[in-house]
Amino acid sequence: MRARAWQRVAAGVALLMAAAVCVVAARGVEIAARGFAETTAAWQRGVAPAEVTQPGVAMRLGERLLGIAARSDVQRAYGRYRLGLGDVIEGTVYPQTQARFRAVEALRALRPSLAAEDRARVDVAIGAILAEGAKTAGSQRTVQLERAAASFRRALDADPGNHDAKVDLEILLRSAKERAGVRGRPSPSSGRPPQQQQDPKGPVAPTANEGAGF
């Protein structure tokens, strides 16, 4: 009799635990699906999310059940990047540079866990981040643009039908050709002896090149 009683108690506890897990899982699926949809919509609009927090146990479980855990991590990494761009300190570009660096590192780490189409999307995002960062990269501008082009090419290798990768790579290469053409043209003053101009304020020390390196 006692053995049967203990079996009933154990069965009851197991049922309660299973029911609790089901409730948590159902709640997690709901939260994960809603969060993923809202973040996707914000990403498509180019809007920075209000905040980016680490998922709780229920949300992480829901993401795994829905098969969107890796893609959700990608969204959070990109969201932190968008938020970082808004962290402006007047007269500097350091916060934006740091946001780009962290985003690229996070996206590169997540890339291997994704399917081919999602890897391509991540590569497009990395390429766009690098291309944007090249604007303030100083002497590293050319290197940054080459890395951006390489990222777009990786996206096409993973998913040849990725329209964004094709367009972004074409624009990047066209801009590079235009810059090369401008550099190759002789300036209107070429061949003329240099003229000395007096600066009434006197010489000014050069300023540091902000953003160089990334």
Side-chain angles (χ1 to χ4, degrees), residues 40-191:
T40 299
W43 187 335
Q44 291 172 346
R45 295 195 307 270
V47 179
E51 61 178 345
V52 179
T53 58
Q54 285 297 108
V57 175
M59 187 174 184
R60 176 56 78 179
L61 177 60
E63 289 173 350
R64 294 189 181 281
L65 291 174
L66 291 172
I68 59 172
R71 281 184 286 173
S72 296
D73 286 335
V74 168
Q75 286 187 336
R76 281 186 280 270
Y78 189 77
R80 293 187 186 96
Y81 160 68
R82 296 293 304 175
L83 287 172
L85 294 184
D87 185 13
V88 178
I89 297 177
E90 188 175 353
T92 74
V93 295
Y94 175 73
Q96 294 87 339
T97 301
Q98 188 179 56
R100 284 191 289 269
F101 177 80
R102 288 178 176 174
V104 170
E105 290 296 301
L107 291 173
R108 283 176 176 165
L110 291 167
R111 188 181 182 278
S113 61
L114 300 168
E117 290 186 2
D118 290 327
R119 285 200 306 272
R121 295 188 184 99
V122 165
D123 285 328
V124 170
I126 292 174
I129 293 170
L130 292 172
E132 179 66 21
K135 296 177 181 178
T136 55
S139 60
Q140 295 294 312
R141 176 183 175 88
T142 301
V143 174
Q144 288 290 83
L145 292 175
E146 288 175 352
R147 290 175 179 170
S151 190
F152 292 139
R153 290 191 180 97
R154 278 195 300 273
L156 290 173
D157 288 341
D159 180 13
N162 190 300
H163 177 72
D164 291 336
K166 292 178 182 178
V167 172
D168 289 344
L169 180 59
E170 182 180 344
I171 292 173
L172 198 64
L173 295 178
R174 187 187 306 157
S175 299
K177 283 185 178 180
E178 291 174 355
R179 287 193 302 273
V182 170
R183 286 196 297 269
R185 296 174 191 165
S187 64
S189 60
S190 61

Side-chain angles (χ1 to χ4, degrees), residues 23-39 55-63 66 68 72 76:
V23 170
V24 172
R27 178 60 176 163
V29 167
E30 179 187 354
I31 297 172
R34 183 173 65 249
F36 187 81
E38 291 174 353
T39 308
V57 175
M59 187 174 184
R60 176 56 78 179
L61 177 60
E63 289 173 350
L66 291 172
I68 59 172
S72 296
R76 281 186 280 270

